[in-house]
PDB file of all heavy atoms in Angstrom:
ATOM      1  N   LEU U1390      46.055  65.644  90.875  1.00 95.00           N
ATOM      2  CA  LEU U1390      45.365  66.781  90.273  1.00 95.00           C
ATOM      3  C   LEU U1390      44.176  67.071  91.171  1.00 95.00           C
ATOM      4  O   LEU U1390      43.346  66.186  91.405  1.00 95.00           O
ATOM      5  CB  LEU U1390      44.914  66.450  88.855  1.00 95.00           C
ATOM      6  CG  LEU U1390      44.199  67.559  88.096  1.00 95.00           C
ATOM      7  CD1 LEU U1390      45.107  68.777  87.922  1.00 95.00           C
ATOM      8  CD2 LEU U1390      43.751  67.057  86.731  1.00 95.00           C
ATOM      9  N   GLY U1392      41.013  69.836  92.505  1.00 97.00           N
ATOM     10  CA  GLY U1392      40.151  70.981  92.235  1.00 97.00           C
ATOM     11  C   GLY U1392      39.446  71.395  93.504  1.00 97.00           C
ATOM     12  O   GLY U1392      39.101  70.553  94.334  1.00 97.00           O
ATOM     13  N   SER U1399      37.905  67.885  95.146  1.00 98.00           N
ATOM     14  CA  SER U1399      38.046  66.538  94.606  1.00 98.00           C
ATOM     15  C   SER U1399      39.450  66.424  94.040  1.00 98.00           C
ATOM     16  O   SER U1399      40.070  67.434  93.677  1.00 98.00           O
ATOM     17  CB  SER U1399      37.004  66.290  93.523  1.00 98.00           C
ATOM     18  OG  SER U1399      37.124  64.975  93.025  1.00 98.00           O
ATOM     19  N   GLU U1400      39.939  65.194  93.968  1.00 97.00           N
ATOM     20  CA  GLU U1400      41.268  64.993  93.427  1.00 97.00           C
ATOM     21  C   GLU U1400      41.382  63.634  92.750  1.00 97.00           C
ATOM     22  O   GLU U1400      40.620  62.721  93.052  1.00 97.00           O
ATOM     23  CB  GLU U1400      42.341  65.148  94.496  1.00 97.00           C
ATOM     24  CG  GLU U1400      42.288  64.116  95.599  1.00 97.00           C
ATOM     25  CD  GLU U1400      43.308  64.377  96.699  1.00 97.00           C
ATOM     26  OE1 GLU U1400      43.649  65.540  96.952  1.00 97.00           O
ATOM     27  OE2 GLU U1400      43.764  63.395  97.292  1.00 97.00           O
ATOM     28  N   ILE U1401      42.323  63.573  91.838  1.00 96.00           N
ATOM     29  CA  ILE U1401      42.653  62.328  91.154  1.00 96.00           C
ATOM     30  C   ILE U1401      44.144  62.111  91.322  1.00 96.00           C
ATOM     31  O   ILE U1401      44.945  63.029  91.098  1.00 96.00           O
ATOM     32  CB  ILE U1401      42.290  62.399  89.654  1.00 96.00           C
ATOM     33  CG1 ILE U1401      40.773  62.504  89.478  1.00 96.00           C
ATOM     34  CG2 ILE U1401      42.838  61.185  88.913  1.00 96.00           C
ATOM     35  CD1 ILE U1401      40.326  62.703  88.048  1.00 96.00           C
ATOM     36  N   ALA U1438      43.766  63.891  77.882  1.00 96.00           N
ATOM     37  CA  ALA U1438      43.700  63.256  79.209  1.00 96.00           C
ATOM     38  C   ALA U1438      43.604  64.311  80.307  1.00 96.00           C
ATOM     39  O   ALA U1438      42.828  64.140  81.263  1.00 96.00           O
ATOM     40  CB  ALA U1438      44.910  62.360  79.437  1.00 96.00           C
ATOM     41  N   ILE U1439      44.354  65.389  80.170  1.00 96.00           N
ATOM     42  CA  ILE U1439      44.287  66.460  81.175  1.00 96.00           C
ATOM     43  C   ILE U1439      42.877  67.034  81.211  1.00 96.00           C
ATOM     44  O   ILE U1439      42.292  67.238  82.284  1.00 96.00           O
ATOM     45  CB  ILE U1439      45.329  67.554  80.885  1.00 96.00           C
ATOM     46  CG1 ILE U1439      46.737  67.000  81.101  1.00 96.00           C
ATOM     47  CG2 ILE U1439      45.095  68.779  81.774  1.00 96.00           C
ATOM     48  CD1 ILE U1439      47.851  67.903  80.612  1.00 96.00           C
ATOM     49  N   GLY U1440      42.285  67.272  80.038  1.00 97.00           N
ATOM     50  CA  GLY U1440      40.916  67.777  79.970  1.00 97.00           C
ATOM     51  C   GLY U1440      39.921  66.816  80.592  1.00 97.00           C
ATOM     52  O   GLY U1440      38.988  67.233  81.291  1.00 97.00           O
ATOM     53  N   ASN U1441      40.106  65.511  80.365  1.00 97.00           N
ATOM     54  CA  ASN U1441      39.219  64.509  80.962  1.00 97.00           C
ATOM     55  C   ASN U1441      39.332  64.502  82.475  1.00 97.00           C
ATOM     56  O   ASN U1441      38.319  64.416  83.185  1.00 97.00           O
ATOM     57  CB  ASN U1441      39.532  63.119  80.416  1.00 97.00           C
ATOM     58  CG  ASN U1441      39.076  62.934  78.992  1.00 97.00           C
ATOM     59  OD1 ASN U1441      38.215  63.660  78.500  1.00 97.00           O
ATOM     60  ND2 ASN U1441      39.662  61.966  78.305  1.00 97.00           N
ATOM     61  N   TYR U1442      40.566  64.578  82.988  1.00 97.00           N
ATOM     62  CA  TYR U1442      40.753  64.642  84.442  1.00 97.00           C
ATOM     63  C   TYR U1442      40.081  65.882  85.020  1.00 97.00           C
ATOM     64  O   TYR U1442      39.407  65.828  86.050  1.00 97.00           O
ATOM     65  CB  TYR U1442      42.241  64.663  84.800  1.00 97.00           C
ATOM     66  CG  TYR U1442      42.942  63.332  84.743  1.00 97.00           C
ATOM     67  CD1 TYR U1442      44.323  63.280  84.613  1.00 97.00           C
ATOM     68  CD2 TYR U1442      42.264  62.128  84.842  1.00 97.00           C
ATOM     69  CE1 TYR U1442      45.003  62.066  84.572  1.00 97.00           C
ATOM     70  CE2 TYR U1442      42.928  60.908  84.807  1.00 97.00           C
ATOM     71  CZ  TYR U1442      44.296  60.892  84.671  1.00 97.00           C
ATOM     72  OH  TYR U1442      44.967  59.698  84.644  1.00 97.00           O
ATOM     73  N   GLU U1443      40.281  67.034  84.375  1.00 96.00           N
ATOM     74  CA  GLU U1443      39.685  68.275  84.868  1.00 96.00           C
ATOM     75  C   GLU U1443      38.156  68.190  84.845  1.00 96.00           C
ATOM     76  O   GLU U1443      37.494  68.650  85.776  1.00 96.00           O
ATOM     77  CB  GLU U1443      40.186  69.461  84.045  1.00 96.00           C
ATOM     78  CG  GLU U1443      41.647  69.768  84.301  1.00 96.00           C
ATOM     79  CD  GLU U1443      42.229  70.794  83.347  1.00 96.00           C
ATOM     80  OE1 GLU U1443      41.610  71.078  82.279  1.00 96.00           O
ATOM     81  OE2 GLU U1443      43.304  71.334  83.659  1.00 96.00           O
ATOM     82  N   TYR U1444      37.598  67.590  83.795  1.00 97.00           N
ATOM     83  CA  TYR U1444      36.146  67.419  83.705  1.00 97.00           C
ATOM     84  C   TYR U1444      35.639  66.527  84.843  1.00 97.00           C
ATOM     85  O   TYR U1444      34.634  66.838  85.487  1.00 97.00           O
ATOM     86  CB  TYR U1444      35.757  66.827  82.352  1.00 97.00           C
ATOM     87  CG  TYR U1444      34.284  66.539  82.248  1.00 97.00           C
ATOM     88  CD1 TYR U1444      33.393  67.555  81.926  1.00 97.00           C
ATOM     89  CD2 TYR U1444      33.792  65.260  82.515  1.00 97.00           C
ATOM     90  CE1 TYR U1444      32.023  67.294  81.860  1.00 97.00           C
ATOM     91  CE2 TYR U1444      32.433  65.005  82.448  1.00 97.00           C
ATOM     92  CZ  TYR U1444      31.550  66.021  82.122  1.00 97.00           C
ATOM     93  OH  TYR U1444      30.211  65.764  82.077  1.00 97.00           O
ATOM     94  N   CYS U1445      36.327  65.422  85.092  1.00 97.00           N
ATOM     95  CA  CYS U1445      35.917  64.497  86.170  1.00 97.00           C
ATOM     96  C   CYS U1445      35.939  65.187  87.527  1.00 97.00           C
ATOM     97  O   CYS U1445      35.003  65.030  88.328  1.00 97.00           O
ATOM     98  CB  CYS U1445      36.824  63.273  86.199  1.00 97.00           C
ATOM     99  SG  CYS U1445      36.555  62.134  84.844  1.00 97.00           S
ATOM    100  N   ILE U1446      36.980  65.951  87.791  1.00 98.00           N
ATOM    101  CA  ILE U1446      37.084  66.658  89.074  1.00 98.00           C
ATOM    102  C   ILE U1446      35.967  67.691  89.199  1.00 98.00           C
ATOM    103  O   ILE U1446      35.308  67.781  90.242  1.00 98.00           O
ATOM    104  CB  ILE U1446      38.470  67.298  89.223  1.00 98.00           C
ATOM    105  CG1 ILE U1446      39.516  66.195  89.445  1.00 98.00           C
ATOM    106  CG2 ILE U1446      38.493  68.304  90.365  1.00 98.00           C
ATOM    107  CD1 ILE U1446      40.940  66.677  89.418  1.00 98.00           C
ATOM    108  N   ALA U1447      35.722  68.457  88.136  1.00 97.00           N
ATOM    109  CA  ALA U1447      34.649  69.460  88.169  1.00 97.00           C
ATOM    110  C   ALA U1447      33.291  68.796  88.384  1.00 97.00           C
ATOM    111  O   ALA U1447      32.450  69.291  89.152  1.00 97.00           O
ATOM    112  CB  ALA U1447      34.656  70.275  86.882  1.00 97.00           C
ATOM    113  N   ASP U1448      33.065  67.640  87.747  1.00 97.00           N
ATOM    114  CA  ASP U1448      31.811  66.917  87.891  1.00 97.00           C
ATOM    115  C   ASP U1448      31.646  66.382  89.313  1.00 97.00           C
ATOM    116  O   ASP U1448      30.550  66.428  89.883  1.00 97.00           O
ATOM    117  CB  ASP U1448      31.743  65.783  86.867  1.00 97.00           C
ATOM    118  CG  ASP U1448      30.357  65.184  86.754  1.00 97.00           C
ATOM    119  OD1 ASP U1448      29.383  65.960  86.600  1.00 97.00           O
ATOM    120  OD2 ASP U1448      30.242  63.941  86.812  1.00 97.00           O
ATOM    121  N   GLN U1449      32.719  65.870  89.894  1.00 97.00           N
ATOM    122  CA  GLN U1449      32.653  65.371  91.265  1.00 97.00           C
ATOM    123  C   GLN U1449      32.335  66.498  92.241  1.00 97.00           C
ATOM    124  O   GLN U1449      31.545  66.323  93.179  1.00 97.00           O
ATOM    125  CB  GLN U1449      33.963  64.687  91.641  1.00 97.00           C
ATOM    126  CG  GLN U1449      34.181  63.379  90.910  1.00 97.00           C
ATOM    127  CD  GLN U1449      35.569  62.802  91.113  1.00 97.00           C
ATOM    128  OE1 GLN U1449      36.382  63.341  91.872  1.00 97.00           O
ATOM    129  NE2 GLN U1449      35.859  61.712  90.437  1.00 97.00           N
ATOM    130  N   ILE U1450      32.914  67.664  92.017  1.00 97.00           N
ATOM    131  CA  ILE U1450      32.630  68.817  92.878  1.00 97.00           C
ATOM    132  C   ILE U1450      31.178  69.260  92.689  1.00 97.00           C
ATOM    133  O   ILE U1450      30.473  69.552  93.666  1.00 97.00           O
ATOM    134  CB  ILE U1450      33.618  69.961  92.605  1.00 97.00           C
ATOM    135  CG1 ILE U1450      35.019  69.558  93.092  1.00 97.00           C
ATOM    136  CG2 ILE U1450      33.161  71.253  93.286  1.00 97.00           C
ATOM    137  CD1 ILE U1450      36.117  70.523  92.707  1.00 97.00           C
ATOM    138  N   ALA U1451      30.719  69.305  91.445  1.00 97.00           N
ATOM    139  CA  ALA U1451      29.323  69.686  91.179  1.00 97.00           C
ATOM    140  C   ALA U1451      28.363  68.728  91.876  1.00 97.00           C
ATOM    141  O   ALA U1451      27.324  69.159  92.407  1.00 97.00           O
ATOM    142  CB  ALA U1451      29.071  69.703  89.672  1.00 97.00           C
ATOM    143  N   ASN U1452      28.684  67.440  91.913  1.00 96.00           N
ATOM    144  CA  ASN U1452      27.830  66.459  92.596  1.00 96.00           C
ATOM    145  C   ASN U1452      27.858  66.617  94.103  1.00 96.00           C
ATOM    146  O   ASN U1452      26.910  66.224  94.786  1.00 96.00           O
ATOM    147  CB  ASN U1452      28.229  65.037  92.200  1.00 96.00           C
ATOM    148  CG  ASN U1452      27.780  64.678  90.810  1.00 96.00           C
ATOM    149  OD1 ASN U1452      26.826  65.237  90.282  1.00 96.00           O
ATOM    150  ND2 ASN U1452      28.481  63.741  90.187  1.00 96.00           N
ATOM    151  N   GLN U1453      28.937  67.163  94.635  1.00 96.00           N
ATOM    152  CA  GLN U1453      28.982  67.457  96.067  1.00 96.00           C
ATOM    153  C   GLN U1453      28.108  68.672  96.388  1.00 96.00           C
ATOM    154  O   GLN U1453      27.402  68.689  97.400  1.00 96.00           O
ATOM    155  CB  GLN U1453      30.414  67.738  96.513  1.00 96.00           C
ATOM    156  CG  GLN U1453      31.328  66.547  96.483  1.00 96.00           C
ATOM    157  CD  GLN U1453      32.764  66.925  96.786  1.00 96.00           C
ATOM    158  OE1 GLN U1453      33.042  67.841  97.553  1.00 96.00           O
ATOM    159  NE2 GLN U1453      33.704  66.225  96.159  1.00 96.00           N
TER     160      GLN U1453
END
Side-chain angles (χ1 to χ4, degrees):
L1390 181 61
S1399 181
E1400 64 185 30
I1401 294 175
I1439 292 170
N1441 287 340
Y1442 282 159
E1443 290 171 344
Y1444 176 82
C1445 287
I1446 289 172
D1448 192 50
Q1449 290 171 4
I1450 291 172
N1452 285 335
Q1453 291 174 33

